[in-house]
Amino acid sequence: MDDSLNRRDWLRTLGASGLAAGLGAWHAGHAAAQESGFQSSVIDQHEVQPNRACPSLTDGKVIQPRRELPVVHQTDVLVVGGGPAGVCAAIAARRAGVDVTLVERYGHFGGLWSGGLVLVILGHIVKGGKQVCQGIGEEMMRRLDKLDGAIIDRRPGANPTVDAEAVKYLMVEMIEEVQAKVFLHCWGVDAIVNGNTVHGAVFESKSGRQAILAKTVVDATGDGDLFAAAGAEYERRSHNIGLVSRIGNLDRVDRARAEGSPKPRNLGGRTPVPGVNWVNMHGPEVDGLDVETLTRLELNHRKFIWKNMQKVRRTPGYEKVYLMETAPQLGVRITRVLNGLQRVTLDDLKAATTFADVIGVGGASNGQHGEWQIPYGALVPEKTDNLLAAGRCISAEIRMADLVRLIPNCFVTGHAAGVAAAVAVADGCRPRDVDVKKVQRVLQEQEAYLG
Ligand SMILES: Cc1cc2nc3c(=O)[nH]c(=O)nc-3n(C[C@H](O)[C@H](O)[C@H](O)COP(=O)(O)OP(=O)(O)OC[C@H]3O[C@@H](n4cnc5c(N)ncnc54)[C@H](O)[C@@H]3O)c2cc1C
């Protein structure tokens, strides 16, 4: 096929006139030198990377020298991590009226929900089928439903299932609506700390190592990367690490041929895309902070999933079923968990303890428990100031890990952390000194359920 034709068609599809207009100013003054129809320019012929301070090898040790970092941005609330908790936190804080900056290491939002292909929303209800995940999480479910990007069935045992691309799209839409400042492709690698007080974070990206200053930081990295860097105490845990995948053509199984042979095991659950299932995986219990372990698991899980699919395809009738994709993100369930002022406990769940500082109510995967309240103190580090945790890394005892980490419960704690951070900024106080009644009022104005 004629390549230039392809490109013209492609540009037309993208709305090329707008793209070309946007790039016009850039190309003025840069000599383009391509005959192919693509464009490329030399920006600087003799550039040396600015602000270098390479580590040196001294007496067999690698030594990192001191250096000043460029401050690329200042903000009221800095949310690190754009998963279910981080996106809710960013939206909530903006709606509460403060400046918000959201930083994410990958090129999309949604965390494990989209990048990890964890497509089933469990834990939005409690015993009796009452839905306790309201507020921004519920708004997301309704909007996904309207986009035709989810099967939203809230009855016990029939949990909402989403399409990962719809989640990614919706999150862009919602973040742009509230006009939060965003940095993608930025990995939070350090906290900026004086004593116990956090003043922002340091990021690595293709632009180098840069700093963002903030009045309050929300750690929504799932792994507590920021509170760990800031020196807060945490519990380090291992958990099962799997790799989720999607398989296609299940609507093309030849039922007549398949009859008589045993149905292949673990074909997963349906998604909003016809003929496409998502396949969960438990995986071994290991340390999700150990990079060699993560590397080994990625390699092994990919081989296992591929080989397993070949077995499925050898089953009569299932020849057309295929592996659509393995999740781009490994399924790390739990690693660091904050030691907070308070802790979510199973005894409190069983006793249905109520807290004066409740900031949300958690649900259970199939509504097997009653309502359990989440106290604000579970988001606040024992000693570190100007930082809150949200999502799967909040303070909770190990027996609660598998409830706390469910997506709706991460929506709830993200929502609360965003509001609390905004109230702290507006009132000029530390998150630990925040007026919790005010936080609760704003949460209720934003349609959160507090029991
Ligand atoms: C295999 C598997 C199956 C699961 N099944 C279900 C299920 O069926 N139903 C359910 O409700 N839940 C399920 N869960 C749990 C749920 O998916 C997660 O607990 C939930 O997504 C956690 O949300 P979060 O926002 O706290 O963290 P994450 O979803 O992990 O999001 C964290 C975000 O922060 C970003 N980030 C991390 N570190 C940095 C950094 N240093 N700098 C910048 N950005 C960073 C990540 O890229 C990500 O976008 C499952 C989890 C796994 C792994």
Side-chain angles (χ1 to χ4, degrees):
M1 263 208 285
D2 180 332
D3 185 54
S4 62
L5 227 181
N6 280 343
R7 178 174 155 71
R8 246 198 329 271
D9 289 345
W10 179 73
L11 286 175
R12 205 177 291 133
T13 318
L14 281 181
S17 48
L19 189 68
L23 293 176
W26 161 253
H27 280 294
H30 291 89
Q34 296 289 312
E35 299 301 321
S36 60
F38 292 100
Q39 286 180 313
S40 176
S41 309
V42 175
I43 295 171
D44 188 331
Q45 278 188 329
H46 301 284
E47 183 165 284
V48 174
Q49 191 78 9
N51 195 32
R52 286 167 65 253
C54 295
S56 61
L57 188 60
T58 311
D59 299 333
K61 293 179 183 157
V62 178
I63 305 296
Q64 173 80 62
R66 269 168 73 109
R67 66 165 153 154
E68 184 180 340
L69 297 179
V71 175
V72 284
H73 192 61
Q74 301 201 20
T75 187
D76 288 335
V77 174
L78 172 63
V79 180
V80 187
V87 169
C88 284
I91 293 169
R94 267 305 284 147
R95 287 181 180 168
V98 298
D99 285 341
V100 174
T101 302
L102 174 58
V103 176
E104 164 57 44
R105 70 178 156 172
Y106 294 140
H108 62 83
F109 301 125
L112 285 166
W113 194 19
S114 56
L117 291 178
V118 175
L119 304 182
V120 168
I121 300 172
L122 299 174
H124 55 292
I125 56 169
V126 290
K127 220 175 209 155
K130 179 176 174 186
Q131 185 172 325
V132 289
C133 173
Q134 299 287 344
I136 296 170
E138 165 58 16
E139 181 183 339
M140 284 182 183
M141 284 200 249
R142 270 189 269 122
R143 291 176 67 156
L144 282 167
D145 199 12
K146 270 203 191 131
L147 285 172
D148 219 5
I151 306 167
I152 300 292
D153 185 342
R154 296 175 171 81
R155 286 170 305 167
N159 295 298
T161 306
V162 303
D163 174 49
E165 290 306 318
V167 168
K168 290 181 200 168
Y169 168 79
L170 175 71
M171 287 188 154
V172 171
E173 194 173 79
M174 291 180 76
I175 287 294
E176 286 188 351
E177 268 171 24
V178 298
Q179 298 182 349
K181 171 93 179 153
V182 172
F183 289 88
L184 295 178
H185 303 290
C186 277
W187 193 297
V189 291
D190 219 336
I192 302 164
V193 187
N194 286 35
N196 283 330
T197 305
V198 175
H199 297 289
V202 174
F203 300 89
E204 286 283 359
S205 72
K206 289 288 182 185
S207 299
R209 198 173 173 90
Q210 299 172 314
I212 296 179
L213 299 180
K215 293 178 184 153
T216 300
V217 174
V218 176
D219 184 340
T221 61
D223 296 316
D225 289 3
L226 261 290
F227 65 61
E233 269 194 19
Y234 58 87
E235 193 165 279
R236 182 166 174 169
R237 296 182 189 162
S238 56
H239 207 304
N240 301 85
I241 299 184
L243 183 65
V244 181
S245 53
R246 287 201 293 176
I247 59 178
N249 272 353
L250 285 150
D251 49 353
R252 296 180 68 186
V253 171
D254 185 333
R255 300 281 160 207
R257 274 178 53 71
E259 208 163 301
S261 31
K263 189 179 172 195
R265 288 175 54 201
N266 200 10
L267 292 176
R270 73 188 178 125
T271 72
V273 184
V276 172
N277 276 13
W278 79 289
V279 184
N280 202 348
M281 187 203 271
H282 268 219
E285 185 207 325
V286 284
D287 178 1
L289 296 177
D290 179 63
V291 73
E292 291 198 31
T293 302
L294 296 176
T295 305
R296 179 168 49 80
L297 281 192
E298 279 279 0
L299 303 179
N300 288 351
H301 284 348
R302 278 177 203 292
K303 283 190 293 187
F304 171 82
I305 291 169
W306 177 262
K307 286 180 184 161
N308 199 45
M309 183 45 57
Q310 302 321 303
K311 266 193 232 157
V312 170
R313 287 163 62 90
R314 284 196 294 272
T315 312
Y318 287 83
E319 295 84 350
K320 292 204 170 89
V321 176
Y322 72 106
L323 178 61
M324 268 185 78
E325 63 171 334
T326 47
Q329 192 175 329
L330 198 61
V332 176
R333 289 177 168 90
I334 288 280
T335 53
R336 299 185 190 97
V337 169
L338 181 72
N339 285 359
L341 290 179
Q342 277 160 282
R343 199 157 233 233
V344 174
T345 69
L346 187 62
D347 287 344
D348 284 328
L349 178 151
K350 286 181 177 160
T353 308
T354 56
F355 297 99
D357 65 343
V358 57
I359 46 77
V361 174
S365 45
N366 279 311
Q368 64 273 41
H369 298 296
E371 295 188 16
W372 51 278
Q373 294 198 346
I374 305 168
Y376 177 56
L379 315 186
V380 185
E382 281 172 342
K383 292 199 190 87
T384 305
D385 275 321
N386 291 354
L387 183 139
L388 290 167
R392 60 185 165 90
C393 56
I394 66 160
S395 176
E397 69 164 343
I398 197 158
R399 294 186 299 168
M400 287 299 287
D402 288 332
L403 283 180
V404 166
R405 68 186 181 82
L406 294 174
I407 291 167
N409 300 332
C410 294
F411 291 151
V412 166
T413 55
H415 191 165
V419 168
V423 171
V425 168
D427 289 356
C429 65
R430 304 178 302 176
R432 75 178 63 253
D433 299 325
V434 94
D435 177 353
V436 179
K437 290 267 171 295
K438 201 184 266 185
V439 174
Q440 291 167 335
R441 209 165 46 243
V442 179
L443 277 168
Q444 280 167 330
E445 281 162 13
Q446 295 189 2
E447 295 181 0
Y449 174 69
L450 304 184

